[in-house]
Amino acid sequence: IEAEGLELALTESVYRPSHDTFLLAATVTEIVKNNLKALHPPLVEIGSGSGYVTFNILKYIPYYTILVDISPCAVITSWLNAKKNSLDWCVDVVQCESASCLRSSIAELVFFNPPYLPEEVHNFYDLAFCGGSNGIEVWQSFYGNALRICRKPCLVVFVFSSLQNIDAMFSYILDTCSSIEILDCQYFFFEGICTALVRCDR
């Protein structure tokens, strides 16, 4: 497919870029543009899927970025798309759960669009959509690893949905970091999706 100037290969088991993907991409791209002098590579995307979010950033600013996904299909897809868009020179793609394979304290900006439907994973295809019984179990894994691999102070940016247990999510965040800011939201007949920026200096 063609998406905002990027050529993307997709498979049925990899999440197709949608409203939440585009929302996160626009948000993170703006944050990177506004913090060019303060940010140092690498950037890290957890749950890269097709790689669209990272490649949208790299169209404008060629920061070295590490993409991580648990799905071998997503890892292959992200790497193919990096090559299709001539961005493979500034990315590495790694397969592991969340960011558990990365060293601690390596990044200043981590971003992710986690699976957030409040359902358990029953098969391989569900990995791209289901976030656990409250919709935040996968998010907790992503967020916890994001804090571990971040150098302080750090920025963590992610998408969340009104379908998730937002009270539990925000409580968890404020127990670990100094602030959370809601940056942008879109509303549909069945849910609202927003991007959030967490600043963590402790």
Side-chain angles (χ1 to χ4, degrees):
I1 65 170
E2 292 283 340
E4 300 294 329
L6 294 169
E7 185 180 354
L8 300 177
L10 298 171
T11 72
E12 289 185 359
S13 58
V14 174
Y15 187 69
R16 187 183 184 92
S18 189
H19 300 290
D20 48 359
T21 318
F22 301 136
L23 190 63
L24 180 63
T27 297
V28 179
T29 300
E30 192 65 23
I31 288 171
V32 172
K33 285 181 176 179
N34 291 337
N35 291 276
L36 282 178
K37 294 183 178 179
L39 284 176
H40 301 88
L43 311 181
V44 176
E45 179 177 10
I46 305 175
S48 63
S50 68
Y52 171 82
V53 176
T54 287
F55 303 144
N56 187 73
I57 299 166
L58 299 183
K59 284 191 310 182
Y60 306 101
I61 305 148
Y63 270 68
Y64 170 56
T65 305
I66 302 171
L67 298 86
V68 185
D69 206 294
I70 192 173
S71 163
C73 296
V75 169
I76 292 169
T77 301
S78 286
W79 182 242
L80 286 175
N81 288 332
K83 293 198 287 186
K84 287 176 82 67
N85 292 280
S86 301
L87 294 169
D88 50 313
W89 66 274
C90 63
V91 302
D92 280 313
V93 187
V94 184
Q95 183 188 355
C96 71
E97 182 179 358
S98 183
S100 59
C101 55
L102 301 183
R103 294 191 191 96
S104 299
S105 304
I106 63 167
E108 296 173 357
L109 173 63
V110 182
F111 52 95
F112 50 89
N113 178 16
Y116 54 69
L117 293 181
E119 298 178 14
E120 298 290 347
V121 173
H122 298 291
N123 56 53
F124 185 76
Y125 186 69
D126 289 346
L127 287 172
F129 300 95
C130 300
S133 58
N134 287 311
I136 65 169
E137 284 78 2
V138 174
W139 173 87
Q140 284 179 308
S141 175
F142 282 21
Y143 180 73
N145 270 294
L147 295 187
R148 182 184 60 79
I149 67 175
C150 258
R151 292 191 293 264
K152 305 299 186 293
C154 73
L155 305 177
V156 179
V157 187
F158 60 88
V159 172
F160 69 92
S161 164
S162 58
L163 301 176
Q164 296 172 281
N165 186 337
I166 296 175
D167 288 345
M169 176 188 292
F170 283 15
S171 177
Y172 189 83
I173 290 169
L174 293 175
D175 282 343
T176 56
C177 287
S178 52
S179 70
I180 178 170
E181 182 180 354
I182 310 306
L183 297 179
D184 199 2
C185 293
Q186 293 181 359
Y187 300 95
F188 307 93
F189 67 93
F190 59 92
E191 72 169 331
I193 55 172
C194 299
T195 50
L197 168 64
V198 175
R199 299 179 186 275
C200 201
D201 52 15
R202 53 185 164 122

